[in-house]
Amino acid sequence: MAWDEWEQLKASAAERQSTRMQLNGLPPEDRPNAGNPAGGDLTVNQKDLAAIGDEAFKLYNRLWKEARVTSTDSAGTSLTTQGFALGGALSHVSLRWEKQLGSVMDACALISNHMDFTKNAHQGDEIFIQRHVSSIHTLDSGFDESYAPPGKDNPVYGEKDKKDEKD
């Protein structure tokens, strides 16, 4: 494609576009958390969290077993002592490989541990919310007059002692 042809294509494209900036993106009704009442709620599925953590743990174990290359260290040292420049390069590559492998393995361990933590944290949050909401319901029932007919005691408070009635 000639340079002039490219310039012509750019100019014709600019003429077809408006002068304002346009960003690619989803329409507002398809964007999560954009005020659409049908979407936007964060849901955490314990099964999904466990699956992600399990896969990260499996990857960590595979990397430990299959990705470590210990023979290159001794080969690099041996080649260097024999006077080959390749020995230093091999040792450098081996060192870089070990550092990068360690970073990937650390990331896998972090993901696995974080998924376990997140699963337990959300489970604890669910229990807390459930207990809190049920105690609010009990408290509300004490103020709701529909629980007992007018002039009658609300059964939420339990039966009065006979001793209290004599006083």
Side-chain angles (χ1 to χ4, degrees), residues 64-164:
W64 178 257
K65 292 176 188 172
E66 300 172 20
R68 291 182 305 140
V69 185
T70 55
S71 61
T72 55
D73 293 335
S74 59
T77 304
S78 177
L79 287 169
T80 301
T81 56
Q82 295 176 27
F84 290 99
L86 180 63
L90 187 58
S91 294
H92 175 75
V93 169
S94 175
L95 180 65
R96 296 294 293 171
W97 177 260
E98 287 298 319
K99 284 184 177 181
Q100 295 298 322
L101 179 62
S103 295
V104 172
M105 289 176 67
D106 287 346
C108 289
L110 182 68
I111 291 168
S112 177
N113 293 339
H114 185 69
M115 291 299 107
D116 288 341
F117 171 79
T118 302
K119 179 176 67 170
N120 294 334
H122 285 292
Q123 193 172 24
D125 290 344
E126 287 295 322
I127 291 168
F128 173 78
I129 291 169
Q130 186 179 19
R131 286 182 180 162
H132 188 71
V133 169
S134 66
S135 67
I136 290 173
H137 177 71
T138 303
L139 181 63
D140 283 347
S141 68
F143 293 103
D144 191 355
E145 293 191 19
S146 67
Y147 276 83
K152 301 287 184 187
D153 292 333
N154 190 329
V156 169
Y157 298 114
E159 296 293 323
K160 287 186 177 180
D161 290 340
K162 304 261 184 206
K163 208 188 261 187
D164 291 340

Side-chain angles (χ1 to χ4, degrees), residues 54-72:
D54 188 48
E55 289 301 318
F57 182 72
K58 287 178 187 176
L59 180 58
Y60 177 89
N61 287 334
R62 282 195 62 206
L63 288 170
W64 178 257
K65 292 176 188 172
E66 300 172 20
R68 291 182 305 140
V69 185
T70 55
S71 61
T72 55

